[in-house]
Amino acid sequence: MARERRGARPLELAAFRQDVVAGLSRPQKSLPPKYFYDAAGSRLFARICRLPEYYVTRAELALTRQHLAAVARFAGRGCQLIEYGSGEGVKSRLLIRALRPVVYVPIDISEDALRAAARALAREFPWLRIAPLAGDFSRPLEIPVRRGTPSVVYFPGSTIGNLTPDEAHAFLSMSRGVAAKMLVGVDLKKDPAALHAAYNDKAGVTAAFNLNLLARINRELGADFDLRRFRHYAFYNPAGGRIEMHLVALAKHTVRLGRHRFHFAAGETIHTENSYKYSPEEFGALAAKAGFTSSRLWTDRRGQFGLFGLRA
Ligand code: SAH
Ligand code: AVI
């Protein structure tokens, strides 16, 4: 019998189990990255954002501060602001201050992180109506917005990079039905050495984040992964234009999950995440294919990260 986490819904747990079993049954074992974000995973991600090697958050924060007036003019004040994968909402604060939205709808799969961020924002912005939505943005969601007031979708952090280009295209097309304007944070192509360092930090926080996925499967689904038998492995794949994160089995062994048995050869990997890096042209073309007719791009001074303003 699986040990259910307090508060975990049986349906979500069933979907989690199904995805894990399907992913570990493939010739190249894989797990969907959305499952990184239980409460522990969200805390580890917050630590990643503060690492010296992880330029992503700092670059996006800097460019948002630098171009805030132009971004606010593009989005328009008094809109309904819908944010996918809101997490801690670090950058959201800047937009909320500049846009003064009539409602802010943060959407995140990590319920604990979502509630904590919403509580903090409510203290900071007592005038703001906040309508948090715990859910999976890869599935259709009922978003509580009013017709008649313009909506803006905000998708920062390069979370779009964790989708395959096909999934990103589907996501952008879906968002076009939610709002006519979108702000998307995109990590840009750069020196592979900088990318490599960002996903192989010296303090080992990214490794802990990657391994927490196995710990979560043990906690919530009652599997018997031995974390000492796996090693974090992340590298830039230039042909694919993406960082790949894997967990490498250090020795031949078998993992049990209920009635399932998953055999690992020494050196075999579980592919846990892709993090796509785009050139401005590549992302512009993807947005155009998804039906956005015009796009603006703001970048930080070093050209590491881009914020795209898309209009349908
Ligand atoms: N926007 C924040 C957090 C980025 S981390 C920032 O820029 O720093 C990615 C966030 O997306 C996490 O909070 C994670 O819980 C959430 N997330 C990942 N996959 C998701 C999915 N399928 N549906 C909803 N939220 C998801
Ligand atoms: C959330 N996402 C954009 C992060 C990234 O950079 O792909 C997740 C992450 N994985 C390892 N470090 C950070």
Side-chain angles (χ1 to χ4, degrees):
M1 178 70 186
R3 279 162 284 155
E4 287 193 22
R5 141 180 89 107
R6 195 161 50 92
R9 297 187 187 91
L11 262 177
E12 285 170 8
L13 211 57
F16 182 28
R17 172 192 292 273
Q18 213 170 38
D19 288 346
V20 168
V21 169
L24 296 181
S25 304
R26 297 201 176 96
Q28 166 61 71
K29 293 179 173 67
S30 65
L31 291 168
K34 66 183 177 188
Y35 293 119
F36 279 133
Y37 302 95
D38 64 347
S42 293
R43 279 194 298 273
L44 285 164
F45 182 73
R47 285 178 59 198
I48 288 177
C49 292
R50 288 154 182 79
L51 290 169
E53 298 95 334
Y54 196 72
Y55 60 86
V56 176
T57 312
R58 274 187 304 280
E60 192 177 20
L61 257 176
L63 83 84
T64 308
R65 285 201 183 98
Q66 189 190 337
H67 301 289
L68 194 55
V71 172
R73 272 198 303 279
F74 169 85
R77 280 168 68 97
C79 63
Q80 312 187 85
L81 185 63
I82 301 158
E83 179 172 354
Y84 290 106
S86 46
E88 280 189 290
V90 179
K91 285 146 270 175
S92 331
R93 287 173 162 75
L94 298 175
L95 278 197
I96 290 168
R97 229 170 269 138
L99 299 184
R100 290 198 70 98
V102 291
V103 62
Y104 171 58
V105 185
I107 301 171
D108 208 288
I109 202 166
S110 185
E111 203 160 343
D112 295 328
L114 178 74
R115 306 272 167 228
R119 274 196 303 274
L121 287 172
R123 278 194 298 273
E124 208 172 321
F125 303 103
W127 50 267
L128 179 64
R129 207 179 119 223
I130 306 177
L133 179 58
D136 179 349
F137 58 60
S138 58
R139 308 222 173 101
L141 287 172
E142 193 75 35
I143 301 175
V145 286
R146 274 185 259 146
R147 296 207 174 276
T149 308
S151 293
V152 175
V153 160
Y154 184 39
F155 194 32
S158 200
T159 304
I160 198 156
N162 299 134
L163 310 180
T164 63
D166 281 349
E167 289 166 347
H169 173 263
F171 180 85
L172 290 171
S173 305
M174 177 278 289
S175 298
R176 200 164 45 79
V178 175
K181 285 183 197 164
M182 197 174 175
L183 291 165
V184 198
V186 178
D187 197 14
L188 300 176
K189 285 206 159 102
K190 58 181 63 64
D191 180 356
L195 290 170
H196 189 269
Y199 293 82
N200 290 282
D201 62 286
K202 287 210 180 79
V205 184
T206 310
F209 174 72
N210 201 0
L211 283 161
N212 177 60
L213 187 48
L214 303 186
R216 181 182 186 184
I217 295 170
N218 286 349
R219 278 193 297 271
E220 295 186 22
L221 303 178
D224 68 349
F225 276 106
D226 179 349
L227 272 56
R228 290 165 306 185
R229 290 182 151 176
F230 289 89
R231 173 103 5 113
H232 165 71
Y233 189 65
F235 60 93
Y236 185 61
N237 168 347
R242 61 181 189 239
I243 285 280
E244 290 187 21
M245 285 213 315
H246 293 251
L247 288 163
V248 186
L250 297 177
K252 179 173 184 256
H253 71 289
T254 297
V255 171
R256 289 185 299 187
L257 195 176
R259 63 186 168 80
H260 301 278
R261 302 284 177 274
F262 301 106
H263 304 293
F264 286 86
E268 187 177 355
T269 79
I270 309 174
H271 186 178
T272 51
E273 188 183 61
N274 286 319
S275 192
Y276 281 86
K277 312 299 170 187
Y278 289 93
S279 69
E281 296 73 26
E282 283 168 341
F283 194 79
L286 186 66
K289 210 173 101 190
F292 287 95
T293 48
S294 75
S295 71
R296 293 222 31 197
L297 170 63
W298 297 279
T299 64
D300 60 300
R301 288 202 169 87
R302 297 172 69 186
Q304 300 200 92
F305 198 92
L307 182 66
F308 280 81
L310 307 178
R311 208 188 285 267

